[in-house]
């Protein structure tokens, strides 16, 4: 069972904008935030309030990977994604939280436990932290996360909620 998650920039920002970080906080014993993610987040918003929300029920650690794993460097990912995956590779009980498709592919190939923003919401429902996922999905979409409507409908069906249509802001 994954007890520690290394989270990337876009999930941290989007879950923060959607006011879902407090909800997902109990899903890990420890949330690891790479320093490159801290730098990327601080360009767009204040980091401290996001970390405080995530730290409601879990430990939050900021870490730096001493060197990006060469296998990961060959993927030409951003600094945040590269450090997230490298830090997770260094520990057995760490999974990664990534929304970027290329970074997700890299993590899958490296056999890392993988979760995205959408998956964290579903996991929160399964853990009894949310009654329904639809309002959280709507908040994520309003916050800027692109979700494929077919995927959303598949997830809604899988968790026993009515299928609906989701419109993306233009």
């Amino acid at each position: 069972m994954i007890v520690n998650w290394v989270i990337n920039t876009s999930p941290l920002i989007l879950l923060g904008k959607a006011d879902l970080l407090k909800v997902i906080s109990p899903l890990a014993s420890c949330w690891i935030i790479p320093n490159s993610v801290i730098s990327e987040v601080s360009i767009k918003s204040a980091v401290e309030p996001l970390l405080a929300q995530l730290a409601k029920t879990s430990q939050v650690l900021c870490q730096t990977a001493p060197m990006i794993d060469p296998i990961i460097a060959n993927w030409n990912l951003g600094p945040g994604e590269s450090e997230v995956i490298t830090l997770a590779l260094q520990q057995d009980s760490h999974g990664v939280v990534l929304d970027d498709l290329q970074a997700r592919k890299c993590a899958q190939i490296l056999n890392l436990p993988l979760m995205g923003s959408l998956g964290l919401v579903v996991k929160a429902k399964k853990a009894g932290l949310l009654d329904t996922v639809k309002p959280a999905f709507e908040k994520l979409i309003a916050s800027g996360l692109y979700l494929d409507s077919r995927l959303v409908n598949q997830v809604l069906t899988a968790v026993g909620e009515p299928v609906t249509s989701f419109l993306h802001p233009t």
Side-chain angles (χ1 to χ4, degrees), residues 6-64:
V6 187
I7 190 167
N8 193 35
T9 307
S10 62
L12 185 60
I13 291 173
L14 291 167
L15 290 161
K17 282 183 182 179
D19 198 28
L20 294 168
L21 288 173
K22 288 178 271 192
V23 173
I24 66 151
S25 176
L27 298 177
S29 297
C30 183
W31 293 93
I32 291 92
I33 319 294
N35 285 324
S36 56
V37 167
I38 298 287
S39 297
E40 290 175 0
V41 171
S42 26
I43 292 169
K44 298 180 181 190
S45 65
V47 177
E48 293 77 18
L50 300 175
L51 299 182
Q53 290 174 45
L54 202 53
K56 284 291 180 188
T57 58
S58 300
Q59 183 181 19
V60 172
L61 294 176
C62 298
Q63 293 184 347
T64 300

Side-chain angles (χ1 to χ4, degrees), residues 51-162:
L51 299 182
Q53 290 174 45
L54 202 53
K56 284 291 180 188
T57 58
S58 300
Q59 183 181 19
V60 172
L61 294 176
C62 298
Q63 293 184 347
T64 300
M67 184 180 102
I68 299 301
D69 188 291
I71 293 170
I72 297 162
N74 286 332
W75 280 79
N76 294 317
L77 303 171
E81 289 95 351
S82 296
E83 195 168 15
V84 164
I85 295 169
T86 296
L87 286 171
L89 270 178
Q90 295 172 350
Q91 301 294 326
D92 288 338
S93 63
H94 289 44
V96 294
V97 181
L98 299 159
D99 287 336
D100 177 77
L101 182 60
Q102 193 69 2
R104 291 174 66 85
K105 287 179 182 178
C106 177
Q108 287 173 323
I109 286 172
L110 294 171
N111 246 358
L112 288 172
L114 170 65
M115 188 81 51
S117 296
L118 190 71
L120 287 173
V121 170
V122 171
K123 191 171 175 72
K125 178 181 177 170
K126 289 179 179 177
L129 303 170
L130 286 172
D131 293 328
T132 59
V133 296
K134 182 183 174 199
F137 289 176
E138 290 169 340
K139 286 180 181 180
L140 284 169
I141 290 168
S143 298
L145 180 63
Y146 176 80
L147 295 174
D148 179 77
S149 58
R150 289 174 298 200
L151 174 62
V152 170
N153 289 336
Q154 287 174 345
V155 173
L156 289 171
T157 300
V159 297
E161 292 185 29

